Amino acid sequence: MFQVGDKIVHPMHGAGVIDSIVQKKVNGVVRDYYILKLPVGGMLVMIPTANSEEIGVRPVIKGEEADRVIAAIPGIKVDMIPNWNQRYRENMLRLKSGNLLEVARVVKGLMLREGERGLSTGERKMLHSAKQILLSELVLAEDSGYEEVERRVEQEYAYPVTIGEDCWIG
């Protein structure tokens, strides 16, 4: 169980700080919820405490791990699946995994696709969300400013892209 003030990550919303733990009645059932305050936009997310582990809620990575994630970005292999529907599903699974390297893979793949052919509206939204998820955790892990972390991450994405052997660009 997490406490007020803990830095945690929700796989689909990103990282934030537990603002409070409250009891709410939803659909006739009283449950405890973490109120997660996200640093970007000040959005609040209610997460049921009972199944937070099932959802994939976890503590924010440490600063050293954040540095390793940023350093690993240039070497991340990207699978360029031509079918947008399959690509979207696989990217969604990567985001839901809560693994920060998988989130970075989604960002890298969509940025590459955007540069090559452009993105559909759905993939453009996914790219925006994935960037927010990635950056929100790195900001909290490194206790840095958003702009500074964004600059460092984008600098790493500027390196040549490594494409997986089983990928197609088309």
Side-chain angles (χ1 to χ4, degrees), residues 22-33:
V22 299
Q23 279 193 340
K24 294 267 185 186
K25 188 175 188 176
V26 177
N27 293 334
V29 180
V30 177
R31 291 190 179 115
D32 289 339
Y33 291 89

Side-chain angles (χ1 to χ4, degrees), residues 36-106:
L36 181 65
K37 186 171 186 176
L38 303 178
V40 180
M43 185 169 86
L44 296 176
V45 178
M46 281 180 37
I47 305 168
T49 61
N51 65 340
S52 62
E53 195 172 311
E54 284 175 43
I55 294 169
V57 174
R58 61 173 175 75
V60 166
I61 61 173
K62 304 284 185 222
E64 312 83 57
E65 289 177 79
D67 289 337
R68 284 195 296 273
V69 167
I70 293 171
I73 290 171
I76 293 174
K77 291 192 177 195
V78 176
D79 302 324
M80 294 297 292
I81 299 163
N83 180 304
W84 75 267
N85 199 6
Q86 183 182 356
R87 187 173 59 245
Y88 187 89
R89 280 195 312 269
E90 287 188 16
N91 281 337
M92 188 59 73
L93 288 174
R94 287 185 176 114
L95 290 179
K96 287 180 181 179
S97 77
N99 180 318
L100 204 54
L101 280 174
E102 289 300 311
V103 174
R105 181 185 314 273
V106 170

